[in-house]
Amino acid sequence: MAVLPEGDPAKTPELQQVYEEITASRGWISNAMRSLSNAPEGLRRFAHFGDYVRYRTALNERLVELAIVTIAHKVRYAATHHGALAVQAGIPQAAVDQILQGQVPASLPEVEQLAVRYVLEFASADSVSDATFAAIRKHLSERELTDLTLIAAYYLAYGTMIKGFRVQLESKDKLDVEMRWQKA
C-alpha cells in the first residue's frame, strides 16, 4: 500500500493542469506519477524530464526500452511495465528475462549488450568501468551516450521513489492502456 495519499486534482487546480499535461504526453497517469501529486510543480518537472527520456532522445525504441528495463530490474513495478514494453519493442522475452535477473544477454547485438552492461554498471556502487565506457563509445555518439545516461539516471531516481513510496502496480486493464498507447 502506498505510504502517502494522492493529491486531489479537484481541490488543486495546479495538479489538475499537471494531470492534463501528463495525460496528453502519455495517454494516462500511472500510480507512480500519482504518487508525486502532493508536489504538483515537482511532478510537472519530473514528468517533463520523463517525457524527454521516453520519447525524445536520439536512441531507437529498443535501446530506450533496454535501458529502462535494465535500470528497473530490481523494481517490480517498473519491471512489470517496461518488461512488456521491451518485448513490444522487439526484444526477445528470453533476453528481457535475463536482464531482469541482472544479466547481459549474449543473444543481443553488440551495441545492445554494451548498453545493458553500461546501465548495470551505472547503477552499481563502482559505476561505469573504463572498459565499458570505451567499448560503448565505439558504437554511440556523444548525444546518444548522454541520452542513455539520462535515461538510466531518470529511471534510477524513479525506481527509488517507487520503492520509497511503495507504489502499487496498476491493474491489467490499466497496463493494457499503456501498451496500446506505446504502440500507437
Side-chain angles (χ1 to χ4, degrees), residues 5-164:
E6 180 183 339
D8 185 352
K11 294 180 181 175
T12 312
E14 181 185 17
L15 180 58
Q16 178 60 41
Q17 183 179 5
V18 172
Y19 275 9
E20 289 170 7
E21 292 169 13
I22 293 169
T23 301
S25 75
R26 291 170 173 78
W28 71 306
I29 304 168
S30 67
N31 288 347
M33 285 288 168
R34 290 178 188 281
S35 74
L36 300 174
S37 64
N38 292 295
E41 186 59 25
L43 172 56
R44 171 182 279 123
R45 291 172 186 262
F46 195 75
H48 280 290
F49 184 25
D51 180 70
Y52 175 77
V53 299
R54 281 289 289 122
Y55 308 111
R56 303 183 195 297
T57 70
L59 300 173
N60 66 46
E61 183 182 14
R62 280 178 64 107
L63 282 174
V64 170
E65 286 302 334
L66 278 171
I68 296 169
V69 80
T70 301
I71 202 75
H73 80 278
K74 292 184 180 180
V75 181
R76 181 181 167 266
Y77 179 96
T80 300
H81 279 259
H82 287 279
L85 291 171
V87 170
Q88 184 171 284
I91 299 157
Q93 183 66 57
V96 171
D97 292 343
Q98 284 184 280
I99 292 167
L100 293 176
Q101 294 172 17
Q103 300 170 4
V104 178
S107 62
L108 294 176
E110 183 180 12
V111 67
E112 292 180 356
Q113 288 180 43
L114 288 168
V116 171
R117 192 167 90 200
Y118 180 88
V119 173
L120 285 171
E121 290 181 15
F122 178 87
S124 74
D126 297 324
S127 198
V128 180
S129 70
D130 291 342
T132 296
F133 194 82
I136 201 164
R137 286 279 291 138
K138 294 176 184 173
H139 296 275
L140 298 181
S141 69
E142 291 173 355
R143 164 75 190 273
E144 290 168 327
L145 187 52
T146 300
D147 283 342
L148 181 65
T149 303
L150 287 170
I151 293 167
Y154 175 83
Y155 280 95
L156 182 61
Y158 207 13
T160 302
M161 179 275 305
I162 288 166
K163 291 188 298 185

